[in-house]
Amino acid sequence: MNSSLFTPVSSCLLLCTSQAGMPCRAADLPGRNDPRPNVVLIYVDDMGYGDLSCYGHPTIRTPHIDRLAAEGVKMNSFYAPAAVSSPSRAGLLTARYPVRSGMYGDRESVLFPDTPRGLPEEEVTLADVMREAGYATALIGKWHQGHAHPYLPDDNGFDYFYGLYSPNNYRTLPFMENETVLQEHADRPNLTQMYTERAREYIREHRDEPFFLFLSHAYPHLPVMASKQFEHASRAGRYGDAVEELDWSVGEVMKCLRENGLDENTLVIFTSDNGPAIKFTPNNGGSAGHLRGGKGSGWEGGFRVPGIFRFPADIPAGSVCMEIGTQLDLLPTIASLCGAKVPEDRPIDGVDLMPILTGKQQSVRSEFAYYRGSRLAALRKGRHKAIFEVPGDWYTQTPYLQDTARVELLIFDLDLDPGEKRNIAPKRSELVEKFMQLRRKYMREVNVAPSINDERPFGSHNT
């Protein structure tokens, strides 16, 4: 870990204490002698910061996810490693900014089926460290880190795979179980149902041993779909239908954990790979709430996503954390809790969040870097964010509200102005200098590897 990049700032706000009574530990279960906790990471695709009831959506109903937040910690400044899928997932899996591994693109933002390579073999993933620690490991859902060996889930620490190598918008979409094709063309409307039932089966099958389950949903990525059970169920249109079905899925997973006596000793995490495709609002795109921008952009709406952590054994219920956290931190956090080893032979950009999730420490990081392709587009330090390049994208095309001709960068106070509307750089020369120094530090310390995404044949449209 490059600890020089992180310095403490403020604190998490604990609204209430954990529930009374002794939790049911895994060691108390019949046939289970290993007391280590399980981990269920629920990862959705293109869900915005404002798409859940507990994050302020006025019409989409998400009672099960809301309950997850009420029984754990809801983070208000939780970030994806990138504003698009493949780089973001690489960052989560490796605890490293995607530019370090080459999992980014300046021409092709994500991997395609005809991209020759994927996540490099030398990278160590969250599944690798969990399997090395003796955990059963499974990926149910979307992969999007490569379409052939040696870039597939079983090459990267997963004992079991059930789902899609690619996003659900590609024309050719075989549905896989390990390396067996179950469906030549995936049953797209029923993906959430299929993933949920397989996740429940996996939990039941592995209840007597510690497991890491990565449940990586296809939706609400375009084309937005829901099963017959949830069609026209939401007041928020087709997009709302998909989100409410994902909420149902969370409820089913939690019900299964309770039925098997595992819910008190399982860390459950809920988050999204990047912000919403807001161009397609109101029926097909999500909401970033009070944040500006969406998927692909350098604005907060592109990177800041829901982040919910539930672990009754240690995390106080009803907590709201105001501190900065990122999906880069998931590997160190999970490894710390489960007795796994974080790689020591390479720079690691993630930090262990458990001290702030449990309320034992005020802060573990104060900085976050916003990379768009190879470019360091913005930096956050404490409450302030500096933007070094125009953060609009192919979705938003949002112009600046300020005249930037006379300043080198934009600076926003995210505590007072989370919508990034009031540039304070012209009046805060000391912040300008501070961020320019910090930018030079990141340019010096974070190595940018050659792009893997851009190896795709130029002009190819095999999607």
Side-chain angles (χ1 to χ4, degrees):
M1 182 196 316
N2 191 348
S3 59
S4 66
L5 294 181
F6 308 110
T7 55
V9 56
S10 54
S11 63
C12 287
L13 176 63
L14 301 183
L15 298 185
C16 64
T17 58
S18 58
Q19 297 175 348
M22 295 296 293
C24 172
R25 296 281 186 171
D28 299 328
L29 299 174
R32 176 91 178 245
N33 296 316
D34 194 324
R36 292 179 296 173
N38 310 299
V39 178
V40 176
L41 171 56
I42 303 173
Y43 199 53
V44 297
D45 199 326
D46 288 9
M47 179 178 285
Y49 183 83
D51 280 333
L52 304 173
S53 299
C54 57
Y55 279 89
H57 200 284
T59 56
I60 296 179
R61 298 165 296 187
T62 54
H64 299 293
I65 300 173
D66 297 349
R67 178 179 175 182
L68 199 69
E71 294 176 349
V73 173
K74 178 170 75 80
M75 297 197 72
N76 282 352
S77 288
F78 193 68
Y79 291 92
V84 288
S85 179
S86 295
S88 186
R89 291 163 191 270
L92 181 153
L93 287 167
T94 64
R96 288 153 53 84
Y97 284 114
V99 293
R100 292 191 188 272
S101 63
M103 287 292 287
Y104 69 90
D106 290 321
R107 178 170 54 82
E108 301 284 7
S109 61
V110 299
L111 297 183
F112 288 81
D114 56 346
T115 306
R117 294 195 297 146
L119 187 66
E121 296 176 72
E122 60 269 21
E123 292 296 323
V124 178
T125 71
L126 173 55
D128 284 327
V129 303
M130 295 299 282
R131 184 160 67 179
E132 181 67 22
Y135 274 69
T137 58
L139 170 63
I140 296 175
K142 173 181 170 180
W143 173 234
H144 209 190
Q145 295 294 287
H147 296 78
H149 288 299
Y151 312 113
L152 298 182
D154 62 333
D155 300 311
N156 286 279
F158 289 102
D159 303 326
Y160 177 76
F161 171 65
Y162 178 87
L164 307 172
Y165 292 149
S166 305
N168 62 301
N169 61 327
Y170 290 163
R171 296 189 188 103
T172 303
L173 200 67
F175 192 95
M176 311 292 294
E177 183 172 33
N178 296 321
E179 296 189 37
T180 300
V181 178
L182 300 182
Q183 299 173 351
E184 289 290 346
H185 300 284
D187 181 6
R188 302 184 196 207
N190 290 309
L191 286 176
T192 299
Q193 299 274 339
M194 294 163 63
Y195 291 157
T196 303
E197 183 51 40
R198 191 66 195 92
R200 286 171 55 86
E201 292 172 359
Y202 185 86
I203 290 168
R204 289 192 292 265
E205 292 166 359
H206 293 271
R207 69 185 299 272
D208 295 331
E209 62 180 322
F211 61 83
F212 166 52
L213 170 59
F214 188 1
L215 178 53
S216 178
H217 280 290
Y219 299 116
H221 191 289
L222 294 172
V224 182
M225 296 183 185
S227 66
K228 290 290 185 183
Q229 179 183 344
F230 286 89
E231 276 189 340
H232 312 298
S234 171
R235 293 175 58 190
R238 189 165 30 183
Y239 187 91
D241 294 344
V243 173
E244 292 191 7
E245 186 165 26
L246 290 168
D247 180 74
W248 163 84
S249 175
V250 170
E252 290 297 298
V253 170
M254 296 306 300
K255 179 182 177 182
C256 186
L257 290 173
R258 289 192 296 270
E259 290 171 345
N260 288 277
L262 301 173
D263 64 312
E264 295 291 332
N265 199 47
T266 299
L267 171 63
V268 180
I269 303 169
F270 181 92
T271 189
S272 174
D273 65 344
N274 48 247
I278 60 175
K279 175 181 178 181
F280 303 99
T281 303
N283 291 324
N284 294 327
S287 168
H290 61 282
L291 304 178
R292 187 174 179 182
K295 178 179 180 177
S297 79
W299 300 113
E300 286 295 284
F303 283 80
R304 199 190 297 199
V305 293
I308 298 171
F309 295 75
R310 181 192 184 275
F311 185 55
D314 286 319
I315 294 177
S319 306
V320 176
C321 187
M322 309 294 187
E323 298 311 305
I324 301 171
T326 84
Q327 291 165 11
L328 300 167
D329 303 327
L330 294 185
L331 189 157
T333 301
I334 293 169
S336 171
L337 182 67
C338 299
K341 294 182 179 179
V342 177
E344 298 180 348
D345 62 342
R346 65 201 63 207
I348 295 293
D349 299 303
V351 297
D352 179 7
L353 294 177
M354 285 306 293
I356 63 169
L357 297 176
T358 58
K360 296 176 181 177
Q361 191 170 317
Q362 289 188 339
S363 178
V364 292
R365 71 153 68 233
S366 69
E367 297 171 11
F368 175 70
Y370 306 68
Y371 284 94
R372 299 182 69 221
S374 63
R375 305 177 307 282
L376 180 58
L379 282 168
R380 177 172 177 179
K381 185 171 181 63
R383 64 191 292 165
H384 295 111
K385 175 182 177 180
I387 293 177
F388 308 111
E389 67 168 37
V390 176
D393 61 55
W394 62 92
Y395 288 104
T396 62
Q397 299 298 324
T398 308
Y400 279 129
L401 298 184
Q402 303 287 337
D403 176 9
T404 61
R406 292 173 295 174
V407 296
E408 294 181 277
L409 45 73
L410 299 178
I411 298 177
F412 300 101
D413 184 335
L414 295 180
D415 283 3
L416 299 177
D417 179 26
E420 298 172 283
K421 296 179 180 179
R422 297 182 294 276
N423 176 29
I424 63 173
K427 298 181 179 180
R428 297 292 301 272
S429 59
E430 81 285 2
L431 284 178
V432 171
E433 179 56 30
K434 173 183 172 182
F435 274 110
M436 294 306 291
Q437 291 180 3
L438 190 61
R439 180 176 181 271
R440 288 192 289 269
K441 181 178 182 180
Y442 272 82
M443 298 289 285
R444 183 174 64 250
E445 296 186 2
V446 178
N447 179 60
V448 177
S451 169
I452 289 171
N453 298 14
D454 288 345
E455 294 177 2
R456 184 188 185 210
F458 184 75
S460 173
H461 297 288
N462 180 25
T463 62

